[in-house]
Amino acid sequence: MEQHIATVPLEKAYRLLNHGPTVLVSSRHGDTEDVMAAAWVCALDFSPPKLTVVLDKSTRTRQLVEQSGLFVIQVPTVAQLRLTHEVGTRSLFDDSAKLIHSGVQLFSIEGYDQPFVAGCSAWLACKLIPEPHNQDAYDLFIGEVAAAWADTRVFNGGHWHFESADPALRSLHYIAGGHFYATGEALDIGDEPKV
Amino acid sequence: MEQHIATVPLEKAYRLLNHGPTVLVSSRHGDTEDVMAAAWVCALDFSPPKLTVVLDKSTRTRQLVEQSGLFVIQVPTVAQLRLTHEVGTRSLFDDSAKLIHSGVQLFSIEGYDQPFVAGCSAWLACKLIPEPHNQDAYDLFIGEVAAAWADTRVFNGGHWHFESADPALRSLHYIAGGHFYATGEALDIGDEPKV
């Protein structure tokens, strides 16, 4: 397991996605593993934590999720801008060395038989909750988060610390046509305790 | 209709949500109208544009959406930080003057019988696609976007222009405990035409 990575309590896992970052979706079935980018991912519940992700029928990752019932949602960083764009535009169907060509390095976490993308700021290991109608009609997949981890340099104590961390660790927010925004300045209501 | 507001072509409506902003959900049924904040909203399809939003059973807005089958998703700005937090923490069940107390001003758009929140940067008028299982089991609602508008000072030509617009027009990304981030700097892959 990489340096700087610590587990995130499950009841705070939703916070890893709450700011609406573009994510990487990874999955493995048998000897095949793939990683794709997805802007259409969203928290769905607090406890147990669940999330939704839209996986187009044209992607190999979707097939692997359907076959294995497992996937990882991870939050890429500003330093991974090009990697994120590469895995979002290349397909494993066309390029069997997609991950190498995209600069993806995978690592393992004991007890979770899925591929994790190195260098991200957060990882959520998910188990598919099969909902065939949603998957067929809307390409909409629901996952229950089994475990979560984050890079302690930017998420610790249950909170993101983008304002004090290296700006290269900020999240990406994709729009279209290769155009992204980074997560920006912190804004606090200030009259409430941070819980 | 407010100054600076222009329609957004339906095929580009997803871009209004693609960066993962926290939104305001508004709805009206009969004489009752409500507005709530929601971080758990996500694009679901390009054309016709669809979106998902999680509406807790405890909210009055959810009842209005169920009763009317109509709602508006709007993107609040940094200038609306406090308003967003207020409508996200007050309930119409406890405070019949919630909207006044939260500083919400509503306006109308001809042809769309729903309440629109003034001062936002984008608005998506939605029609509920009833999916009782999703609504009951997951609090998950699917809407089809019937029409969309944006403040041309920050979204025009099919693109957000946060980098050149007034920073007060940036979007909000909620985490927890009154803590938000603004949309940050633009990052461009640079080797692709913006389509």
Side-chain angles (χ1 to χ4, degrees), chain A residues 69-113:
Chain A
L70 300 171
F71 59 101
V72 181
I73 298 289
Q74 43 244 307
V75 181
T77 69
V78 164
Q80 294 173 306
L81 175 68
R82 184 158 296 274
L83 179 156
T84 302
H85 193 249
E86 290 285 332
V87 298
T89 49
R90 291 177 190 268
S91 172
L92 195 64
F93 287 123
D94 306 323
D95 178 1
S96 62
K98 167 186 174 178
L99 298 190
I100 292 168
H101 290 154
S102 302
V104 171
Q105 284 196 300
L106 299 173
F107 70 103
S108 301
I109 295 180
E110 203 182 326
Y112 298 89
D113 181 26

Side-chain angles (χ1 to χ4, degrees), chain A residues 14-23 38-43 75 160 171-174 181 183, chain B residues 17-22 39-41 172-175:
Chain A
Y14 77 93
R15 296 183 183 181
L16 301 173
L17 296 179
N18 224 64
H19 58 309
T22 293
V23 303
W40 296 359
V41 63
C42 193
V75 181
W160 288 105
S171 302
L172 298 168
H173 303 262
Y174 187 56
Y181 290 95
T183 307
Chain B
L17 296 179
N18 224 63
H19 59 309
T22 293
W40 296 358
V41 64
L172 298 168
H173 303 263
Y174 187 56
I175 305 291

Side-chain angles (χ1 to χ4, degrees), chain A residues 14-15 18-22 39-46 50 52 54 78 81-82 85-86 89 129-131 133-134 137-140 142 158-163 167 171-195, chain B residues 14-15 18-22 39-46 50 52 54 78 81-82 85-86 89 129-131 133-134 137-140 142 158-163 167 171-195:
Chain A
Y14 77 93
R15 296 183 183 181
N18 224 64
H19 58 309
T22 293
W40 296 359
V41 63
C42 193
L44 179 65
D45 208 348
F46 293 105
K50 299 190 190 78
T52 56
V54 178
V78 164
L81 175 68
R82 184 158 296 274
H85 193 249
E86 290 285 332
T89 49
I129 299 177
E131 288 284 1
H133 169 65
N134 285 337
Y138 301 112
D139 299 333
L140 180 67
I142 296 178
H159 292 280
W160 288 105
H161 298 282
F162 295 118
E163 54 274 44
S171 302
L172 298 168
H173 303 262
Y174 187 56
I175 304 291
H179 192 56
F180 294 77
Y181 290 95
T183 307
E185 67 169 323
L187 302 166
D188 240 294
I189 288 293
D191 56 4
E192 287 219 337
K194 279 194 201 177
V195 287
Chain B
Y14 77 93
R15 297 183 182 181
N18 224 63
H19 59 309
T22 293
W40 296 358
V41 64
C42 193
L44 178 65
D45 207 348
F46 293 105
K50 298 189 190 77
T52 56
V54 178
V78 164
L81 175 68
R82 185 158 296 274
H85 192 250
E86 291 284 331
T89 49
I129 298 177
E131 288 284 1
H133 169 65
N134 285 337
Y138 302 112
D139 298 334
L140 180 66
I142 296 178
H159 292 280
W160 288 106
H161 299 281
F162 295 119
E163 54 273 44
S171 301
L172 298 168
H173 303 263
Y174 187 56
I175 305 291
H179 192 56
F180 294 78
Y181 288 96
T183 307
E185 67 170 321
L187 301 166
D188 239 293
I189 287 294
D191 56 3
E192 289 218 337
K194 279 194 199 178
V195 287

